[in-house]
Amino acid sequence: MKLSNYFLPVLKETPADAEIISHKFMLRAGMISQSSSGIYSWLPLGLRVLKKIENIVREEQNAAGVNEILMPTIQPADIWKESGRYDDYGKEMLRINDRQDREMLYGPTNEEQVADIFRRSIKSYKELPSLLYHIQWKFRDELRPRFGVMRGREFLMKDAYSFDLDEDTSRVSYNKFFVCYLKTFERLGLRAIPIAAETGPIGGDMSHEFVIISETGESDIFYDKRILDLLDVDQELDYTKDLRSIVSSYQALYAAADDKYSKDEFEKKVPIEFQNNSKGIEVGHIFNFSTKYSEPMKANVLNSNGKAVSVHMGSYGIGISRLVGAIIEASHDENGIIWPEAVAPFTVGLVNLKSRDTEAIAVCENIYNTLNQAGIEVLYDDKDDSPGAKFSRMDLIGLPKQIIFGNNSLKDQMIEIKDRKTSHTEKVKISDLAGKLITSK
Ligand code: ATP
Ligand code: MG
C-alpha cells in the first residue's frame, strides 16, 4: 500500500475527550472515527488490525473443532421472553419495533438465538457435543460508554456456544475453550490470565474471565504471580486429548477479581512473595450455565434411554474490538503504538526520505514491489513530507519494522532497518533486504 493513496487521517493533537492511551492513539493514528457515543466507524488502518485479530480468533476456534455460523444482529423478542431474560436485561438492550409492530431487539448476546437453532436441529444425544461460534456485532446500551472501543455500545464479539448431554461432558467442552483461549491470546501477543469468575446461582467452578494486566483496566484482580509462568502454551495442542490437567494447573493457583476475592483465602493460599494485586482488562469470558436457558427454552435431546433431557450449555466470548484497544494498552511507548507482529496492520513501513528524487523513487518502488512479491505487507511512505513528520507518523502507527531510505542510500546502496520495539537499527544492502526480512519473519 502506498501512503499517497491510503486513507490515513493522522491527527497531530491529542483529542481532548480521550482519557486513556489506547483511545488517544487509535484516534491519532486514524484507526477509528466516532459516529456517536460508544459507536465507531473503522477506518482502513484500524480495520486491518480488527480483521487480523478476528482471523486469529477464527483459526483457533476452527482448530478446536468449533463450527462457524453467522447469526443475525436483530433478534425477535419472543425467544428472550421464553428464556425469561427479556425483562431482566433492562436498559442495556436496544429494543426495536418493526413495521408490523413486532418486538425486535439488537442482540447483546446470542444464547437464546443459538438455543433456538439447536432445538430445531438436534434431537439425539448421539449428535452431541455441538460446538458453534460466530463473530458478529453486538449492541449494549452501556450506562457509561468510554475508553473508545474498550467499552463501546456497538462492539464486535466472538461468541461460541456448547451443547452437551450432562455436566461431565460439558466440562470437556469447557476445557477445550479454556485451552483454546490460552492459545488464542498467546498468538495475539498477550498474556491473559484466566481468573475465577462469579457463577451466581449456578455455582461450580466453570466460569473464568481472561484478563490482561493493565493500569487502565476496569477489573481489580488478585493473583498468584506464578500463574504468569504457566502462560506459555504448547501450540501443537491435541484437542481430542484430555485437557483437564492443563486447566487444573491454572485452577490450582489463586486468581480472582474483586467480586470473588477473599482476603483470607488469598493470604492462606499464596505465599507473600507471589501475591499480586493489579488492574486488568477483561478480554474474554467463558461460562458454563448448565440448563439455565435450555430448560425454559426446551432445548432437549433424547438420551440413551429415550428420555428427553435438557442440554447443558456453555457460552464463550472474546471481545474482538476491545482487544484492539487492549493490545495497545499492553504495547506502546510515548511515541505511539508498538504492534505485536501477529496483528500489525502492515509488517513493514518503507520510508523514502528523498521523495522528490526520481532515482530514489525508482529504487524505493523497486523495493516496494520486491517486498510485496515476497508476501511481506508493506506500507510505503511515498509522501512529500519532512523527515520529522514521516518518522513521527511511522512511530505513531507502530509497524514492527521501519525501512529507511535515507540521504546516503543511493550512494552506498544501503538501507536502514529499524525495529519499532527495541529501536535497534541495522544497515543492510538493498539487494539483501527481501531475503533478510523473509528469514526474520
Ligand atoms: P464487562 O464486565 O467488561 O462489561 P461482560 O461481562 O459484560 O464484560 P461478556 O458478556 O462476558 O462481558 O462479553 C464477552 C466479552 O465481550 C467480554 O469479555 C469483553 O471482552 C467484551 N465486551 C463486553 N462488553 C463490551 C463493551 N461494552 N465493549 C467492548 N467489548 C465488550
Ligand atoms: Mg458488561
Side-chain angles (χ1 to χ4, degrees):
M1 182 60 65
K2 288 185 182 175
L3 198 58
S4 57
N5 190 37
Y6 199 51
F7 189 85
L8 185 73
V10 165
L11 305 176
K12 281 211 183 64
E13 306 297 325
T14 299
D17 54 342
E19 291 172 64
I20 61 169
I21 207 78
S22 57
H23 190 196
K24 288 177 186 168
F25 283 153
M26 284 183 77
L27 290 169
R28 281 192 49 208
M31 293 176 66
I32 49 170
S33 169
Q34 186 172 347
S35 164
S36 63
S37 171
I39 304 181
Y40 294 87
S41 299
W42 290 78
L43 305 185
L45 194 77
L47 187 60
R48 280 182 84 100
V49 178
L50 190 72
K51 293 276 172 204
K52 293 241 166 139
I53 297 173
E54 184 183 322
N55 268 332
I56 289 175
V57 171
R58 174 177 288 117
E59 282 172 15
E60 292 303 326
Q61 292 290 298
N62 293 346
V66 194
N67 296 267
E68 183 167 13
I69 60 173
L70 184 59
M71 291 179 268
T73 53
I74 307 292
Q75 302 177 21
D78 294 348
I79 49 177
W80 286 73
K81 288 181 179 168
E82 266 188 80
S83 74
R85 277 211 287 184
Y86 192 58
D87 292 329
D88 294 352
Y89 219 92
K91 291 204 159 174
E92 255 188 42
M93 181 186 274
L94 181 65
R95 295 155 206 261
I96 311 159
N97 282 22
D98 70 10
R99 66 198 297 168
Q100 264 84 37
D101 214 27
R102 275 186 295 246
E103 290 172 288
M104 311 294 283
L105 56 100
Y106 195 126
T109 179
N110 285 60
E111 281 81 7
E112 285 78 359
Q113 186 74 78
V114 77
D116 184 51
I117 295 172
F118 179 87
R119 68 184 174 183
R120 291 162 190 246
S121 325
I122 304 292
K123 307 289 177 198
S124 161
Y125 76 99
K126 289 185 190 149
E127 293 171 80
L128 299 181
S130 265
L131 306 178
L132 301 171
Y133 79 97
H134 77 158
I135 296 175
Q136 179 63 290
W137 293 90
K138 305 288 185 288
F139 192 92
R140 294 181 187 175
D141 204 350
E142 299 272 357
L143 185 59
R144 286 215 296 150
R146 57 188 184 143
F147 302 158
V149 299
M150 297 261 259
R151 183 165 299 283
R153 293 198 295 164
E154 190 182 49
F155 59 96
L156 189 60
M157 196 204 284
K158 183 285 298 179
D159 39 326
Y161 303 89
S162 64
F163 300 87
D164 283 282
L165 182 61
D166 53 31
E167 190 183 327
D168 282 353
T169 49
S170 70
R171 188 174 288 276
V172 174
S173 296
Y174 187 85
N175 291 347
K176 249 185 210 172
F177 282 98
F178 189 108
V179 172
C180 175
Y181 275 35
L182 294 170
K183 274 186 71 180
T184 304
F185 293 122
E186 184 170 309
R187 273 191 68 191
L188 293 171
L190 290 172
R191 299 179 76 71
I193 304 177
I195 64 168
E198 228 7 278
T199 50
I202 289 159
D205 59 355
M206 284 197 275
S207 176
H208 286 86
E209 288 170 359
F210 287 76
V211 171
I212 60 172
I213 305 299
S214 166
E215 282 163 31
T216 49
E218 294 180 283
S219 328
D220 200 9
I221 62 167
F222 298 82
Y223 65 98
D224 186 327
K225 270 198 270 193
R226 287 172 293 183
I227 210 163
L228 295 170
D229 304 330
L230 291 177
L231 288 177
D232 299 315
V233 196
D234 180 6
Q235 292 289 331
E236 296 302 312
L237 234 128
D238 179 356
Y239 284 100
T240 60
K241 288 225 174 86
D242 189 347
L243 303 169
R244 241 177 318 184
S245 62
I246 302 178
V247 176
S248 317
S249 65
Y250 287 88
Q251 284 181 321
L253 294 171
Y254 193 95
D258 47 356
D259 54 353
K260 221 184 167 7
Y261 165 71
S262 132
K263 190 167 187 286
D264 281 354
E265 202 190 335
F266 186 54
E267 287 170 358
K268 204 167 80 197
K269 272 185 109 174
V270 189
I272 188 140
E273 67 271 29
F274 297 123
Q275 290 176 10
N276 211 333
N277 167 220
S278 50
K279 295 275 177 207
I281 302 169
E282 180 194 322
V283 287
H285 189 182
I286 60 177
F287 191 19
N288 182 289
F289 39 78
S290 186
T291 58
K292 185 176 171 189
Y293 303 109
S294 54
E295 237 172 72
M297 291 192 68
K298 302 192 177 59
N300 301 329
V301 290
L302 295 178
N303 69 12
S304 57
N305 301 321
K307 186 175 165 249
V309 292
S310 303
V311 286
H312 285 243
M313 280 179 72
S315 74
Y316 313 87
I318 291 185
I320 295 188
S321 49
R322 176 178 288 183
L323 272 166
V324 180
I327 291 170
I328 297 174
E329 289 296 327
S331 184
H332 66 266
D333 63 15
E334 67 278 10
N335 299 324
I337 303 163
I338 303 174
W339 291 115
E341 192 127 351
V343 301
F346 298 90
T347 316
V348 165
L350 170 62
V351 184
N352 181 7
L353 296 181
K354 298 189 58 96
S355 50
R356 288 183 187 175
D357 183 320
T358 42
E359 225 181 310
I361 292 171
V363 177
C364 284
E365 289 273 336
N366 199 13
I367 295 172
Y368 174 63
N369 292 332
T370 310
L371 294 183
N372 274 328
Q373 277 154 21
I376 295 168
E377 293 174 305
V378 45
L379 181 64
Y380 168 27
D381 183 352
D382 58 340
K383 286 176 85 171
D384 185 20
D385 293 327
S386 72
K390 284 175 177 255
F391 287 135
S392 57
R393 180 168 53 215
M394 259 314 155
D395 279 352
L396 174 66
I397 67 172
L399 309 183
K401 292 229 163 16
Q402 301 174 2
I403 298 176
I404 297 144
F405 188 95
N407 290 326
N408 297 323
S409 292
L410 271 183
K411 200 166 65 212
D412 59 16
Q413 287 296 302
M414 302 282 273
I415 203 161
E416 200 170 86
I417 305 181
K418 181 181 149 195
D419 185 284
R420 172 67 182 87
K421 188 171 178 183
T422 60
S423 293
H424 175 79
T425 60
E426 182 187 1
K427 282 203 153 186
V428 297
K429 277 177 115 161
I430 291 177
S431 52
D432 293 344
L433 186 64
K436 174 104 195 150
L437 289 169
I438 293 166
T439 46
S440 72
K441 231 167 126 177

